[in-house]
Amino acid sequence: MRATTRDLLALAGAVVRSPFTTVGPDARVPEARIVDGPLRITPGQLAAYARICGFRYDPSGLLPATYPHVLGFPAAMRLMSRRDFPLPLPGLVHTWITITRHAPLTSDDRPEITVYAETLAPHRRGTEVTMVTEARLAGRLVWESRSGYLARHAPPDGAGAPDGPRPAPPPLPERAEWRLPSDLGRRYAAVSGDRNPIHLHPLAARVFGFPGTVAHGMWTLARCLAEVDEDGELAHVRAEFKAPVLLPRTVAYASDGQGGFQLRSGDRLHLTGTASTP
């Protein structure tokens, strides 16, 4: 998705303010809702997204389950770039997502997208905000997602320790192996609009505490769903991003054949999730 001049200026302002943004005990999410649309889905952009994520492109078919999230990303960036947004935008890490498709959504539709922040909660590695994206046709809710984004920081003095990580699930049978190139983050950013610095260059990633360039969590999810959902009919998706995928990297896609899936490299679990049809 192509960023507008307004989006770029808002992002630049968020980057400048980020070193001075601290999460205090009275931090609250903004009440504002950002509404875009009705949005026209551009066939060329959709085809490029499908190609990089491994989806089968059908100009008149159902949208990939993850694509409305991409449509809503510019609105999410505008909201998270606001001065009253409590977390610094650069370096935010996507930690989990749920997707529910209530009705079919095709490339011929013109959805209205609404984005808002729902909750703010402590996390064992910082503070996590839950962002909501909704797609409507003629006022009817047809698609929605909830996503967790983590700002990594030391907990404030006196704060109680959040629950620790849950035990890793047992490994599923390996189905495929993918070699991810070093420029995958830049290529996915070009089709999704997600230009978080941690995905674009290893030096930028190191500024935010990562040893190298990190693959987009939404690319890893979309690539897995392209294997699960050949007909584009998924209705429910839940995924957790367990560990960053550093680029370049060879990863293994694993599945139980019943909707459960994982992405691993060696013994390291990067992504785990479930997907189902109605």
Side-chain angles (χ1 to χ4, degrees), residues 30-272:
E31 296 182 1
R33 294 184 175 219
I34 306 294
V35 180
D36 272 351
L39 298 177
R40 180 178 181 273
I41 298 170
T42 305
Q45 290 179 336
L46 177 58
Y49 176 83
R51 183 166 54 251
I52 196 170
C53 295
F55 290 109
R56 180 168 55 87
Y57 175 61
D58 182 350
S60 59
L62 295 175
L63 293 179
T66 49
Y67 198 68
H69 182 90
V70 174
L71 294 176
F73 193 77
M77 287 297 97
R78 291 202 295 276
L79 182 60
M80 292 192 283
S81 298
R82 289 168 54 105
R83 290 182 178 274
D84 59 351
F85 193 76
L87 304 181
L89 175 57
L92 281 181
V93 179
H94 203 171
T95 50
W96 59 268
I97 186 171
T98 63
I99 293 172
T100 303
R101 180 157 46 189
H102 300 284
L105 189 59
T106 74
S107 57
D108 294 327
D109 291 320
R110 301 291 182 264
E112 180 183 81
I113 301 293
T114 302
V115 174
Y116 59 94
E118 188 172 56
T119 59
L120 199 67
H123 185 280
R124 62 189 177 87
R125 291 182 177 172
T127 302
E128 186 177 75
V129 63
T130 297
M131 299 291 295
V132 180
T133 302
E134 299 173 340
R136 287 178 169 80
L137 293 176
R140 178 192 179 194
L141 182 65
V142 295
W143 183 99
E144 63 181 312
S145 73
R146 279 170 171 76
S147 290
Y149 291 94
L150 171 67
R152 303 197 305 175
H153 61 82
D157 293 340
D163 293 338
R166 288 177 291 177
L172 299 177
E174 184 176 326
R175 308 292 184 181
E177 189 174 86
W178 303 324
R179 176 64 179 171
L180 311 186
S182 59
D183 66 345
L184 176 61
R186 294 189 292 275
R187 291 168 54 202
Y188 182 77
V191 302
S192 69
D194 185 350
R195 294 177 174 84
N196 189 325
I198 65 174
H199 304 307
L200 304 181
H201 195 280
L203 293 180
R206 288 178 194 134
V207 169
F208 296 99
F210 297 94
T213 311
V214 179
H216 291 75
M218 285 304 294
W219 180 88
T220 63
L221 174 59
R223 185 65 188 88
C224 289
L225 293 184
E227 299 292 317
V228 175
D229 188 26
E230 293 183 359
D231 299 321
E233 296 180 351
L234 285 180
H236 304 285
V237 176
R238 166 80 194 190
E240 296 182 20
F241 305 105
K242 294 292 192 180
V245 179
L246 301 179
L247 299 172
R249 177 68 53 101
T250 297
V251 294
Y253 164 74
S255 170
D256 61 6
Q258 299 177 341
F261 57 90
Q262 296 173 346
L263 196 69
R264 295 179 174 272
S265 58
D267 295 330
R268 191 168 181 80
L269 176 65
H270 298 289
L271 168 69
T272 182

